[in-house]
């Protein structure tokens, strides 16, 4: 019958030593000892294989998952947190973020929204485009008006000067145009002064107002000491 492994080893030792001390193995004893060793190895192999199979079945049967109370487990839980529903996907699996919806769904007509970036401009009616010209600074005004006046002294066409001035945004500096024209006429010839007088008469009511003309002459009278440095006869002219 089967016996413990320790008992087998003790029997083997007694046969090896014998009662009178060490002696040689007989063929039968060698065969018996080899059979005992093989049986012992088989029993060890069966015990090891049974342990491994039990571990594998345990790992396959129960996969490790997040704990029920952990935040990760709650994030992937499809069940309703309000205690309602059967835990099925919302909308039956259709719709959601970044998808078109369930196959075969036909959407009805929706009124266009003017705030939609893809809104058709044709539906908005006629579009009016306006060119916004910034108001000229003081240095830019002199740079643009002075060539106009000097060219006017050559061709004498007041309508051309008015069109060019309308293309500029003079703003609150309209009074600077008559003042600059008179200052250039003082440095020029008598014909230039006559042309300047005609130009100022045509500009009033179209480009400048009578108040702008009055303000321009008041400024020239205040700046007369500076004008005398360039044109000594400025007071008489």
């Amino acid at each position: 019958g089967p016996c413990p492994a320790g008992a087998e080893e003790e029997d083997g030792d007694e046969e090896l030593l014998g009662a009178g001390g060490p002696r040689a193995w007989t063929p039968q004893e060698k065969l018996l000892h080899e059979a005992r060793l093989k049986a012992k190895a088989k029993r060890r192999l069966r015990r090891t294989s049974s342990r491994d199979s039990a571990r594998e079945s345990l790992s396959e049967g129960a996969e490790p998952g997040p704990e029920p109370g952990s935040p990760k487990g709650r994030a992937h839980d499809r069940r309703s947190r309000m205690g309602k529903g059967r835990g099925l996907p919302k909308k039956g699996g259709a719709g959601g973020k970044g998808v078109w919806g369930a196959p075969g769904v036909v959407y009805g007509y929706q009124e266009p929204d003017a705030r939609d970036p893809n809104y058709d401009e044709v539906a908005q009616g006629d579009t009016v485009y306006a060119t916004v010209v910034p108001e000229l600074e003081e240095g830019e005004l002199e740079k643009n008006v002075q060539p106009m006046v000097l060219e006017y002294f050559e061709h004498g066409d007041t309508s051309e000067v008015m069109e060019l001035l309308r293309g500029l945004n003079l703003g609150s500096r309209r009074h600077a145009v008559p003042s600059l024209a008179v200052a250039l006429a003082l440095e020029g010839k008598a014909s230039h002064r006559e042309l300047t007088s005609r130009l100022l008469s045509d500009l009033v009511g179209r480009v400048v107002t009578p108040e702008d003309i009055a303000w321009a002459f008041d400024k020239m009278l205040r700046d007369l000491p500076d004008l005398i440095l360039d044109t000594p006869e400025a007071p008489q002219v």
Side-chain angles (χ1 to χ4, degrees), residues 150-203:
L150 294 177
E151 290 179 4
Y152 167 72
F153 290 160
E154 300 294 332
H155 57 72
D157 188 358
T158 58
S159 60
E160 181 177 346
V161 179
M162 285 188 290
E163 291 297 327
L164 294 175
L165 291 175
R166 289 194 182 102
L168 302 177
N169 186 4
L170 300 176
S172 60
R173 293 183 173 83
R174 293 190 304 269
H175 55 80
V177 174
S179 177
L180 181 60
V182 173
L184 293 174
L186 293 178
E187 299 175 359
K189 299 180 291 186
S191 59
H192 296 166
R193 297 162 194 161
E194 179 63 29
L195 290 172
T196 303
S197 178
R198 190 189 312 167
L199 176 64
L200 296 181
S201 300
D202 294 344
L203 291 180

Side-chain angles (χ1 to χ4, degrees), residues 81-144:
R81 293 173 177 82
M82 301 298 293
K84 302 178 182 179
R86 296 176 296 166
L88 299 177
K90 295 180 180 179
K91 301 182 182 179
K97 184 178 181 180
V99 296
W100 287 96
V105 177
V106 179
Y107 296 96
Y109 174 75
Q110 294 181 355
E111 290 293 334
D113 188 2
R115 295 173 296 179
D116 188 354
N118 297 324
Y119 185 60
D120 189 6
E121 293 184 359
V122 177
Q124 298 181 7
D126 296 335
T127 303
V128 178
Y129 297 94
T131 302
V132 179
V133 181
E135 183 176 347
L136 291 178
E137 300 292 337
E138 184 175 359
E140 295 178 352
L141 188 142
E142 183 177 354
K143 187 185 301 182
N144 286 272

